[in-house]
């Protein structure tokens, strides 16, 4: 009940016993391009399922801490292993001064300041790969070494949908197309130290959530694009709408109880959906000399409306999903010969 949120640096490490990942992929789809009155229309649907085993992942921090927790529990069972917490400090008058937790509990009570000052000697539960701040009475973590391991499975299902329609008239050739991806499930399992699920919520399906890095990053379950294009002679104009659906922030409830009141207004239970518009113009120039071929000159504007990014935690954005650069121009020339 006295647990608290900790942060630390993490380091990777070599694992000579690391093996290969294994996966099976299944997909079923169709493409329909009708003639007659629907000439110019196309529709495609693909349903898929991925099954991955023996994933290569960094070891989970809780799993890396297990040897330390076991060493602590063994040391805590012997009352001769207790010292006064203040005596851990480098400037202590009596370094690592012994104390009797049972005697202090009998005299002052279990939750008294005197009893809580009597702690397990930290020198007795040091383990390889876990570094804590020396001489720190709060035993703050500094670094955890997390080697790559084979651990965990993924079962992902979803579908991709594509539709388009093209037509011609006196103004040129027009085309409108859409593509949409839906992740139905992204179940993560059998990861050592991951018994309580994503963000300790008990959930294992990451689809439509902020995930639990590094096991699985944020995974919006709906994404799609709509593209409008016009071509006439050597000119082409393209307009693209890019959509990212909203997704749930899994650690929202946990942070409600561990965040300072000043920052509470910035917590969000979900990341809102996000739409941007891109504009592009291209001109194809055919050189007089056929040996020189042609050159396509293109200028464009990404995120033309400079949309505000949806808030994530503490008035920031989720950099694993969104591009924070905002509106930007680009130009290029492509020479074909």
């Amino acid at each position: 009940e006295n647990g608290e949120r900790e942060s630390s640096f993490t380091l990777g490490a070599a694992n000579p016993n690391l093996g290969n990942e294994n996966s099976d992929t299944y997909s079923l789809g169709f493409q329909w391009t009708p003639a007659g009155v629907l000439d110019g229309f196309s529709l495609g649907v693909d349903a898929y399922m991925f099954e991955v085993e023996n994933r290569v992942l960094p070891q989970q921090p809780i799993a890396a801490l297990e040897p330390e927790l076991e060493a602590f529990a063994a040391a805590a069972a012997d009352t001769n292993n207790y010292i006064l917490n203040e005596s851990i400090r480098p400037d202590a008058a009596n370094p690592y001064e012994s104390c009797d937790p049972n005697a202090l509990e009998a005299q002052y009570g279990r939750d008294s300041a005197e009893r809580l000052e009597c702690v397990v000697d930290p020198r007795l539960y040091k383990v390889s790969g876990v570094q804590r701040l020396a001489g720190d009475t709060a035993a703050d973590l500094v670094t955890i070494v997390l080697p790559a391991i084979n651990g965990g499975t993924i079962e992902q299902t979803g579908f991709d949908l594509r539709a388009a329609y093209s037509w011609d008239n006196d103004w040129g050739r027009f085309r409108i197309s859409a593509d949409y991806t839906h992740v139905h499930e992204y179940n993560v399992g059998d990861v050592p130290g991951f018994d309580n699920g994503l963000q300790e919520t008990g959930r294992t399906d990451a689809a439509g959530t902020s995930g639990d890095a590094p096991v699985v990053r944020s995974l919006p379950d709906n994404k799609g694009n709509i593209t409008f294009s016009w071509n006439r002679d050597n000119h082409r104009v393209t307009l693209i709408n890019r959509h990212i659906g909203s997704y749930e922030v899994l650690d929202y409830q946990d942070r409600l109880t561990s965040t300072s009141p000043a920052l509470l207004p910035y917590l969000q239970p979900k990341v809102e959906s996000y739409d941007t518009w891109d504009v592009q113009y291209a001109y194809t120039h055919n050189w007089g000399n056929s040996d020189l071929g042609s050159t396509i000159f293109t200028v464009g504007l990404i995120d033309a409306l400079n949309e505000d990014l949806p808030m994530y935690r503490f008035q920031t954005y989720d950099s694993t999903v969104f591009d924070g650069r905002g509106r930007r121009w680009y130009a290029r020339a492509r020479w074909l010969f």
Side-chain angles (χ1 to χ4, degrees):
E1 66 271 18
N2 295 316
E4 63 180 31
R5 182 178 292 274
E6 285 271 345
S7 60
S8 72
F9 295 102
T10 59
L11 295 175
N15 180 357
N17 299 315
L18 194 67
N20 294 324
E21 293 185 342
N22 304 298
S23 66
D24 294 309
T25 302
Y26 309 90
S27 62
L28 178 66
F30 71 88
Q31 181 75 23
W32 183 43
T33 53
V37 295
L38 291 178
D39 186 33
F41 176 76
S42 64
L43 175 67
V45 178
D46 290 296
Y48 63 84
M49 180 172 66
F50 302 140
E51 295 178 346
V52 184
E53 296 179 341
N54 299 318
R55 294 183 62 204
V56 175
L57 295 168
Q59 186 181 30
Q60 285 291 289
I62 186 61
L65 289 170
E66 286 293 344
E68 184 192 56
L69 295 173
E70 292 173 1
F72 175 87
D78 187 346
T79 57
N80 294 317
N81 294 333
Y82 285 73
I83 61 173
L84 293 176
N85 200 33
E86 287 297 320
S87 70
I88 295 172
R89 296 185 184 277
D91 58 353
N94 297 307
Y96 298 97
E97 182 179 353
S98 297
C99 60
D100 186 338
N102 292 336
L104 291 171
E105 181 176 338
Q107 182 176 359
Y108 297 104
R110 180 176 179 81
D111 296 323
S112 64
E114 290 82 1
R115 168 60 188 90
L116 295 177
E117 175 64 12
C118 187
V119 301
V120 179
D121 188 337
R123 296 173 298 180
L124 301 178
Y125 54 88
K126 284 185 177 180
V127 297
S128 176
V130 179
Q131 180 184 2
R132 295 185 179 272
L133 192 62
D136 177 41
T137 57
D140 284 339
L141 279 169
V142 178
T143 303
I144 306 176
V145 177
L146 304 176
I149 62 169
N150 289 108
T153 61
I154 295 175
E155 293 184 1
Q156 179 180 356
T157 60
F159 65 86
D160 298 322
L161 173 66
R162 302 172 307 280
Y165 182 64
S166 303
W167 71 96
D168 298 282
N169 58 30
D170 293 341
W171 294 90
R173 181 170 181 80
F174 296 83
R175 176 180 171 85
I176 180 171
S177 63
D179 59 86
Y180 167 72
T181 296
H182 175 70
V183 181
H184 178 61
E185 287 184 324
Y186 193 99
N187 285 307
V188 180
D190 300 329
V191 179
F194 205 62
D195 299 335
N196 294 328
L198 301 165
Q199 298 289 350
E200 303 290 315
T201 62
R203 293 176 54 172
T204 59
D205 184 5
T209 76
S210 56
D212 194 343
V215 175
V216 54
R217 298 189 181 276
S218 298
L219 186 63
D221 52 353
N222 294 301
K223 288 185 176 182
N225 302 318
I226 300 176
T227 303
F228 305 89
S229 64
W230 167 77
N231 289 269
R232 184 174 182 180
D233 299 328
N234 294 0
H235 305 274
R236 184 178 74 249
V237 175
T238 305
L239 181 64
I240 305 173
N241 171 256
R242 304 186 188 277
H243 173 79
I244 299 175
S246 62
Y247 55 96
E248 182 182 354
V249 179
L250 287 178
D251 62 354
Y252 171 71
Q253 291 294 333
D254 180 54
R255 287 179 179 270
L256 282 179
T257 61
S258 60
T259 300
S260 66
L263 294 175
L264 281 176
Y266 300 111
L267 288 179
Q268 302 293 321
K270 71 174 183 178
V271 176
E272 300 293 343
S273 61
Y274 182 62
D275 288 88
T276 60
W277 290 91
D278 298 351
V279 182
Q280 183 188 93
Y281 168 75
Y283 176 77
T284 302
H285 179 73
N286 298 307
W287 300 99
N289 185 338
S290 60
D291 292 337
L292 296 179
S294 61
T295 304
I296 304 174
F297 298 94
T298 304
V299 293
L301 190 58
I302 299 173
D303 190 7
L305 302 180
N306 201 30
E307 293 288 346
D308 291 335
L309 292 166
M311 287 175 54
Y312 186 36
R313 298 185 181 117
F314 308 139
Q315 218 169 10
T316 62
Y317 71 95
D318 189 345
S319 60
T320 66
V321 175
F322 304 104
D323 190 328
R325 292 176 291 176
R327 181 194 295 126
R328 54 204 184 273
W329 290 92
Y330 66 91
R332 65 172 178 262
R334 185 183 179 194
W335 193 4
L336 307 175
F337 59 92

